[in-house]
Amino acid sequence: MANYNPQRIEKKWQDKWEKLGIFQARDKLKKAKFYVLVEFPYPSGEGLHVGHCRSYIAMDVLARKRRMEGFNVLFPIGWDAFGLPTENYAIKTGVAPSLATQKNTDNFRRQAKRLGLSFDWKREINTTDPNYYKWTQWIFLQLFKEGLAYKKKLPVNWCPSCKIVLANEEVINGACERCGAKVTKIEKEQWLLRITKYADRLSDDLAKVDYPGKIKILQKDWIGRSEGAEIEFPIKGSQEKIKVFTTRPDTLFGATYLVLAPEHELISKLSFTNINEIKTYIEKAKNKKEIERIALKKDKTGVELKGVKAINPATKGEIPVWVADYVLSHYGEGSIMSVPAHDERDFQFAKKYGLIIESVVIPSHKGVPREFIDYKKKETVEYWRNRIKLNGPVLIGGIVFNSGKFTGMPSEKAKWEITKFVGGKRKTQYRFRDWIFSRQRYWGEPIPLIFCEKCSWVPVLEKDLPVRLPEIKDYKPTEKGESPLAKVKNWVNVKCPSCRGQAKRETDVMPNWAGSNWYYLRYCDPKNNRKLADPKKIKYWLPVDWYNGGMEHVTLHLLYSRFIFKFLWDIGAIPKNLGSEPYKKRTAHGVILGGDGVKMSKSRGNIINPDKIVEQHSTDAMRLYTMFMGPFGEMIPWDMKGLIGARRFLEKVWRLGNQASNAKGNSLRLKKILHKAIKKVSEDIEVLKFNTAISTLMEFSNTWQQTPLDLSKEDLKDFLKILSPFAPHLTEELWEKSGFTGFCCQQKWPKADLKLIREEKINLIIQINGKVRDKIEINPGISQKEAENAVLKRERVKKWLAGKKIKKIIFVPEKLINIVV
Ligand code: ANZ
Ligand code: ZN
């Protein structure tokens, strides 16, 4: 027997698969399809890291299994190649971003192929390819034409060192994510996309998809829908009014002061006496980060606008007005009514500054003494005032009291009655904002608009798309923070498409989200010149059946791409009979840490290079270990010992496989264990429990090792098949060496013979009203009727049921039976 020589075997099979194109997806519109998607990588100079590998190998295992189950599988890959690292590299070295990208994608492609990933390389895409970004620009134009792209002056995060406007998520602890410089704010004209118009659908349609609860909650929180009211408070001796947004208008009678955000424009229109104090406070607030400002635990600060009084429209009483930075300028109305008795932040603030705390809601809660829920009694008000002062605010709704004619009304009803009473308006508010869609940089898709003095913003004609990114030499943004494209005069100056007069191109480019918004659509038809993709092909392949990616992308990328999908659906660029969600199912993998248990980083020197692993141990060992290292969703440190274990297992399979291929064994014992493994591996892959699937394969090999010649040829085949998604090269080689025909990876996925497995008895748990009362040994696979007959005969069960009527029997096959009486 030849030694296991993975280097030779792996190259051999990779070449064969590629030459025969056996992983190419066919646009066979009649065959059952399965679309497996992984997040396409940003091709950095460092090459693939093991984090990419984990996600890609996992989905490769799934894709390989689906093919063996008879599906027409689309498992594509491409490059999300616009973005800052490549551009910053260009600024530093002068190497054109297009060249660096080419080099990096070549490297990524080589690495991916070496991992035996069964991507359909015929469908490879690259967001920086003009044939691709033509359609990214086309989508932008449609958004513009539908009024969903607009320009607005905004205070934006500004990195004085990179000279770029940063998105909020690029600012880490007040510093630029890329260079670490302290971020300041400047006002800048920006393109925005009106994603907020889709807020309700983005929130509601989550009911239609199979995402983990955790991811749905993240999406919903990001959208942050809340139902409430807009209420106006007149200002004494002034025409001005202060408008607030509140989710608790039922507490209006307890609003004892108002607070304006430091940026509120009304402040400059009010006359107050402590001008300097206010000015100083506002200056300070400007430099604080949002999370610092709203954090519950942080000490709240504020200043009263001395001499200003507002009128509570419900009580008609005068209340003070404060400026405090725990109120944000861009949420709701940028001002609040404070109800310290029923809101945590307001409570802390009122305590600190000695403001009035007036309680107006009795909570509907068990711990309330009976005598203090009589909302009509005087003592009740006293009781709650004192209780709140001691124990803190009552946050939940209940019965409104101490509130004039609304006293005695449930909170939910009082909300809208009180709103009506004071002439307020019902309002739905969203926490997320429109999406800032321009960057003053070079390495992105040019925004396809032209500014003409006469015609204002004019779209580039569709026949003139793509607006190509011109080749330049100097990649640095201008000192004013404009894109370096502003310096390319012969590119900027154009004729207005509408009046043919002198005009100028928009020099901002799109953010790096733009290309990844819709990339999964392009894979359906990557070479199409006339459309972003043929609707027939979209209709066939979409929705994506299973999308896996990082936890860091389940808020923004997921939200943005769902938005763009819905938009394209609305304008008919996507077949209407498709449903309005792009991804049927989404999962997320955990991060791989360095061997030292810390995030991998260059500076720590704990980065694992997949090339080295493959050279030293083999691709199959790398694949197997990456899937075996621990639960797929969890953060796991890299462990070289585990890798060696994987390699040993493969060597063992190599030895056993070589022996068995000459044997004429036929052990029923081995067959049974094998079929258990088939069942377990089949099920575990579906729930991403790769680690337990592999340990099952290992256990089988341990038993097999005791009598290597006992395995029948048929069983050897089945074993190779279920191992092949994990170790495709080794299994292919053993398949061939055993004289079996065809490719192992193209065989039919085996079915576990349940009769074989089911000979042993199993325990069925007996519950009565959900409590475990007994258990019974049964043959697996018995029906509910059979189980009932056996269970109801038992003495213990009879005792429990004596004198009771059976309402219902719930049967979970092979697990439990629950008798409800
Ligand atoms: C009075 C009140 C009484 C409130 C009460 C809450 C509890 P969500 O659920 O997140 O939408 N608020 C409104 N605008 C704000 C702003 N710009 N900055 C900070 N806080 C703001 O939160 C809505 C609630 O947050 C509003 O309801 C308001 O406080 C506060 F017992 O109004 B509430
Ligand atoms: Zn014009």
Side-chain angles (χ1 to χ4, degrees), residues 451-456 458 496-503:
F451 186 76
C452 164
E453 293 291 345
K454 262 197 271 163
C455 318
S456 183
V458 183
C496 167
S498 166
C499 73
R500 310 301 300 159
Q502 272 302 320

mmCIF file of all heavy atoms in Angstrom, residues 451-456 458 496-503, ligand 2:
data_model
loop_
_atom_site.group_PDB
_atom_site.id
_atom_site.type_symbol
_atom_site.label_atom_id
_atom_site.label_comp_id
_atom_site.label_asym_id
_atom_site.label_seq_id
_atom_site.Cartn_x
_atom_site.Cartn_y
_atom_site.Cartn_z
ATOM 1 N N PHE A 451 -24.027 67.371 -12.634
ATOM 2 C CA PHE A 451 -24.651 68.591 -12.139
ATOM 3 C C PHE A 451 -24.576 69.690 -13.186
ATOM 4 O O PHE A 451 -23.510 70.030 -13.685
ATOM 5 C CB PHE A 451 -24.015 69.073 -10.839
ATOM 6 C CG PHE A 451 -24.749 70.243 -10.254
ATOM 7 C CD1 PHE A 451 -25.956 70.041 -9.591
ATOM 8 C CD2 PHE A 451 -24.283 71.543 -10.412
ATOM 9 C CE1 PHE A 451 -26.671 71.110 -9.075
ATOM 10 C CE2 PHE A 451 -24.998 72.619 -9.900
ATOM 11 C CZ PHE A 451 -26.193 72.397 -9.228
ATOM 12 N N CYS A 452 -25.742 70.227 -13.502
ATOM 13 C CA CYS A 452 -25.835 71.297 -14.489
ATOM 14 C C CYS A 452 -26.467 72.507 -13.806
ATOM 15 O O CYS A 452 -27.441 72.356 -13.084
ATOM 16 C CB CYS A 452 -26.695 70.809 -15.652
ATOM 17 S SG CYS A 452 -27.276 72.129 -16.716
ATOM 18 N N GLU A 453 -25.887 73.694 -14.028
ATOM 19 C CA GLU A 453 -26.409 74.902 -13.370
ATOM 20 C C GLU A 453 -27.887 75.096 -13.718
ATOM 21 O O GLU A 453 -28.677 75.535 -12.904
ATOM 22 C CB GLU A 453 -25.615 76.145 -13.802
ATOM 23 C CG GLU A 453 -24.163 76.178 -13.331
ATOM 24 C CD GLU A 453 -24.047 76.363 -11.804
ATOM 25 O OE1 GLU A 453 -25.052 76.741 -11.176
ATOM 26 O OE2 GLU A 453 -22.943 76.106 -11.264
ATOM 27 N N LYS A 454 -28.239 74.755 -14.949
ATOM 28 C CA LYS A 454 -29.621 74.995 -15.389
ATOM 29 C C LYS A 454 -30.569 73.888 -14.946
ATOM 30 O O LYS A 454 -31.677 74.134 -14.498
ATOM 31 C CB LYS A 454 -29.663 75.102 -16.926
ATOM 32 C CG LYS A 454 -29.657 76.547 -17.397
ATOM 33 C CD LYS A 454 -30.111 76.647 -18.847
ATOM 34 C CE LYS A 454 -28.892 76.518 -19.738
ATOM 35 N NZ LYS A 454 -29.185 76.208 -21.128
ATOM 36 N N CYS A 455 -30.105 72.641 -15.095
ATOM 37 C CA CYS A 455 -31.023 71.506 -14.894
ATOM 38 C C CYS A 455 -30.850 70.813 -13.549
ATOM 39 O O CYS A 455 -31.533 69.828 -13.281
ATOM 40 C CB CYS A 455 -30.845 70.470 -15.987
ATOM 41 S SG CYS A 455 -30.646 71.171 -17.616
ATOM 42 N N SER A 456 -29.914 71.291 -12.726
ATOM 43 C CA SER A 456 -29.635 70.650 -11.439
ATOM 44 C C SER A 456 -29.055 69.244 -11.652
ATOM 45 O O SER A 456 -28.303 69.046 -12.595
ATOM 46 C CB SER A 456 -30.902 70.615 -10.596
ATOM 47 O OG SER A 456 -30.626 70.062 -9.352
ATOM 48 N N VAL A 458 -28.721 65.695 -13.016
ATOM 49 C CA VAL A 458 -29.253 64.971 -14.171
ATOM 50 C C VAL A 458 -28.603 63.589 -14.227
ATOM 51 O O VAL A 458 -27.383 63.475 -14.113
ATOM 52 C CB VAL A 458 -28.911 65.732 -15.478
ATOM 53 C CG1 VAL A 458 -29.522 65.025 -16.684
ATOM 54 C CG2 VAL A 458 -29.390 67.169 -15.395
ATOM 55 N N CYS A 496 -24.132 68.511 -20.315
ATOM 56 C CA CYS A 496 -25.353 68.107 -19.619
ATOM 57 C C CYS A 496 -26.182 67.206 -20.537
ATOM 58 O O CYS A 496 -26.477 67.588 -21.667
ATOM 59 C CB CYS A 496 -26.160 69.332 -19.220
ATOM 60 S SG CYS A 496 -27.830 68.927 -18.695
ATOM 61 N N PRO A 497 -26.554 66.014 -20.094
ATOM 62 C CA PRO A 497 -27.314 65.095 -20.947
ATOM 63 C C PRO A 497 -28.680 65.673 -21.317
ATOM 64 O O PRO A 497 -29.295 65.241 -22.285
ATOM 65 C CB PRO A 497 -27.514 63.856 -20.060
ATOM 66 C CG PRO A 497 -26.554 63.998 -18.942
ATOM 67 C CD PRO A 497 -26.281 65.455 -18.763
ATOM 68 N N SER A 498 -29.109 66.666 -20.547
ATOM 69 C CA SER A 498 -30.451 67.191 -20.786
ATOM 70 C C SER A 498 -30.416 68.429 -21.708
ATOM 71 O O SER A 498 -31.094 68.455 -22.728
ATOM 72 C CB SER A 498 -31.081 67.500 -19.438
ATOM 73 O OG SER A 498 -32.219 68.274 -19.585
ATOM 74 N N CYS A 499 -29.558 69.441 -21.399
ATOM 75 C CA CYS A 499 -29.575 70.673 -22.205
ATOM 76 C C CYS A 499 -28.303 70.846 -23.035
ATOM 77 O O CYS A 499 -28.177 71.845 -23.758
ATOM 78 C CB CYS A 499 -29.782 71.884 -21.303
ATOM 79 S SG CYS A 499 -28.314 72.293 -20.322
ATOM 80 N N ARG A 500 -27.382 69.934 -22.945
ATOM 81 C CA ARG A 500 -26.111 69.945 -23.684
ATOM 82 C C ARG A 500 -25.189 71.081 -23.264
ATOM 83 O O ARG A 500 -24.155 71.311 -23.883
ATOM 84 C CB ARG A 500 -26.316 69.995 -25.211
ATOM 85 C CG ARG A 500 -27.281 68.968 -25.779
ATOM 86 C CD ARG A 500 -26.903 67.534 -25.521
ATOM 87 N NE ARG A 500 -25.613 67.152 -26.073
ATOM 88 C CZ ARG A 500 -24.895 66.108 -25.642
ATOM 89 N NH1 ARG A 500 -25.346 65.368 -24.648
ATOM 90 N NH2 ARG A 500 -23.742 65.821 -26.184
ATOM 91 N N GLY A 501 -25.550 71.808 -22.203
ATOM 92 C CA GLY A 501 -24.686 72.876 -21.716
ATOM 93 C C GLY A 501 -23.523 72.319 -20.901
ATOM 94 O O GLY A 501 -23.403 71.105 -20.694
ATOM 95 N N GLN A 502 -22.624 73.221 -20.466
ATOM 96 C CA GLN A 502 -21.498 72.802 -19.643
ATOM 97 C C GLN A 502 -21.997 72.253 -18.308
ATOM 98 O O GLN A 502 -22.862 72.856 -17.677
ATOM 99 C CB GLN A 502 -20.584 74.007 -19.377
ATOM 100 C CG GLN A 502 -19.530 74.212 -20.453
ATOM 101 C CD GLN A 502 -18.654 72.980 -20.618
ATOM 102 O OE1 GLN A 502 -18.285 72.331 -19.657
ATOM 103 N NE2 GLN A 502 -18.346 72.644 -21.873
ATOM 104 N N ALA A 503 -21.436 71.141 -17.915
ATOM 105 C CA ALA A 503 -21.856 70.566 -16.634
ATOM 106 C C ALA A 503 -20.693 69.775 -16.037
ATOM 107 O O ALA A 503 -19.647 69.626 -16.674
ATOM 108 C CB ALA A 503 -23.069 69.670 -16.844
HETATM 109 ZN ZN ZN B 2 -28.442 71.043 -18.119
#
